Amino acid sequence: QVQLVESGGGLVQPGGSLRLSCAATGIMFSLYVMTWYRQAPGEQRELVALITSGGNTNYADSVLGRFTISRDNAKSTVYLQMNSLKPEDTAVYYCNAQSSVNDYWGQGTQVTVSS
């Protein structure tokens, strides 16, 4: 059974930091492209950052320079380090694992940036 379990969300003040984790089970993690998406209320889900099996990364312009995606294949876990958080980063953050034939999603974790 495939599971992606996100953790690390919460309430943080503007300018603060959070680190999200997504632990995967049931897949050959090292073979998957791992992506963080987010969805704010009333908005479409958007790509935040991705990391390929080879470690190449890509970021949305809105988070470039503030967020860092990384992966630990030994732990089957992908991380999203979020610094200099802004109120507009408030959203549910989802983890996605994609291969040429499979596409899996986590349940999401809420991030709220507010004073």
Side-chain angles (χ1 to χ4, degrees):
Q1 181 179 0
V2 177
Q3 280 193 311
L4 300 178
V5 180
E6 299 102 332
S7 61
L11 173 64
V12 63
Q13 292 187 340
S17 297
L18 284 174
R19 189 175 83 151
L20 305 183
S21 300
C22 171
T25 57
I27 62 173
M28 290 288 289
F29 180 82
S30 62
L31 301 181
Y32 280 72
V33 175
M34 300 301 298
T35 306
W36 286 98
Y37 289 83
R38 67 186 180 188
Q39 188 167 20
E43 302 289 333
Q44 289 190 334
R45 191 171 295 189
E46 63 173 353
L47 185 149
V48 176
L50 69 84
I51 185 166
T52 68
S53 57
N56 295 317
T57 59
N58 196 19
Y59 297 91
D61 288 344
S62 59
V63 307
L64 195 61
R66 300 188 298 122
F67 291 11
T68 302
I69 189 170
S70 61
R71 65 192 297 160
D72 185 338
N73 289 338
K75 296 182 179 180
S76 297
T77 300
V78 62
Y79 304 97
L80 186 68
Q81 178 67 43
M82 305 187 294
N83 299 328
S84 302
L85 282 161
K86 304 175 181 180
E88 51 263 43
D89 295 317
T90 295
V92 178
Y93 283 70
Y94 297 91
C95 175
N96 172 264
Q98 189 172 53
S99 70
S100 58
V101 294
N102 294 313
D103 191 9
Y104 302 110
W105 290 89
Q107 82 289 349
T109 185
Q110 176 70 46
V111 172
T112 302
V113 185
S114 175
S115 54

